[in-house]
Amino acid sequence: MNDITLQVVSGENIHHYLDDLARLRMEIFRDYPYLYEGSMAYERNYLQTYIQAPNSLMVVALTGDDVIGVSTAVPLRYETENVLAPFIARGIDVNQVFYLGESVLRRAYRGRGLGVRFFAERERFARELGGMKYAAFCGVDRPADHPQRPADYEPLDAFWSRRGYHRQFGMHAWFSWRSVGEAQESTKQMNFWLKEL
């Protein structure tokens, strides 16, 4: 970890790292289970939430000037309707939820505790904001027999559970993106995980 530094940036300061985040998302999420065939146009549209929302957050991992990982978060109330709706349906006050976006990290730097740090820094920020009762995120749901699932694939469920998050069965959102091998976007189911702060 001596060669890696973390920067916690929020609000307007995140502009500096948006293109880095977009490139990492396209690189990392191309792998299973997301199989995301990204484009900068899609990314710039998707990342508008972080640009527009007060108290948006990025935790940036760097080696020198090279961005090797980024983790994001935003107060849930600034998220899109498809993300808000499952919380409203459950009777959870969206003003009390800090929504954790992606954590993307280059493969060569995994297994060094950065994933743990990404969660810790986002939760610390949420507690300092005040009024946040929960942290939440969602992950893509793929069937166990998915034809593109690698033989050595390990879901992150156990890692998330060790961080204190619980899968919310029946609590879903749907996102559209173009998968590797698809001619156009298709809708994917995402499952929510929740932790009381």
Side-chain angles (χ1 to χ4, degrees):
M1 288 284 286
N2 291 341
D3 60 330
I4 300 170
T5 58
L6 285 186
Q7 288 187 10
V8 179
V9 294
S10 64
E12 292 186 5
N13 295 324
I14 70 171
H15 286 267
H16 181 71
Y17 294 108
L18 283 174
D19 283 350
D20 294 297
L21 173 57
R23 285 189 289 271
L24 279 170
R25 279 174 44 86
M26 288 189 291
E27 173 188 337
I28 306 303
F29 286 157
R30 186 176 175 84
D31 292 340
Y32 187 88
Y34 286 89
L35 301 171
Y36 169 55
E37 189 71 81
S39 70
M40 286 303 286
Y42 181 100
E43 288 296 309
R44 289 193 172 115
N45 180 61
Y46 171 80
L47 295 172
Q48 285 301 306
T49 298
Y50 298 106
I51 296 169
Q52 296 168 359
N55 298 313
S56 57
L57 173 71
M58 283 187 185
V59 184
V60 183
L62 304 105
T63 56
D65 292 329
D66 186 28
V67 176
I68 52 102
V70 179
S71 190
T72 64
V74 65
L76 179 67
R77 65 182 169 270
Y78 299 114
E79 265 296 345
T80 53
E81 183 59 35
N82 63 317
V83 178
L84 294 172
F87 291 87
I88 294 167
R90 281 268 174 108
I92 298 171
D93 184 350
V94 298
N95 295 300
Q96 296 181 332
V97 182
F98 200 55
Y99 181 69
L100 311 183
E102 52 280 294
S103 284
V104 286
L105 181 64
R106 289 208 171 109
R107 188 177 301 278
Y109 297 93
R110 296 174 192 170
R112 301 188 190 191
L114 286 168
V116 174
R117 290 283 307 279
F118 281 160
F119 272 95
E121 291 294 339
R122 291 180 296 177
E123 291 170 14
R124 179 189 59 76
F125 188 88
R127 290 184 178 100
E128 289 176 0
L129 273 181
M132 296 294 164
K133 185 175 180 181
Y134 301 102
F137 65 89
C138 60
V140 68
D141 185 30
R142 297 289 194 186
D145 61 351
H146 191 283
Q148 290 173 278
R149 179 184 171 117
D152 61 350
Y153 174 70
E154 288 288 334
L156 290 172
D157 296 30
F159 172 78
W160 295 332
S161 294
R162 287 194 299 272
R163 309 277 76 75
Y165 289 82
H166 302 282
R167 183 173 173 163
Q168 304 300 298
F169 290 96
M171 191 172 177
H172 311 294
W174 285 265
F175 290 80
S176 292
W177 67 83
R178 187 164 70 90
S179 290
V180 174
E182 286 184 335
Q184 58 189 13
E185 291 184 8
S186 62
T187 303
K188 284 83 172 175
Q189 179 174 294
M190 306 280 280
N191 297 315
F192 282 97
W193 293 66
L194 198 66
K195 175 181 181 176
E196 193 162 347
L197 292 172

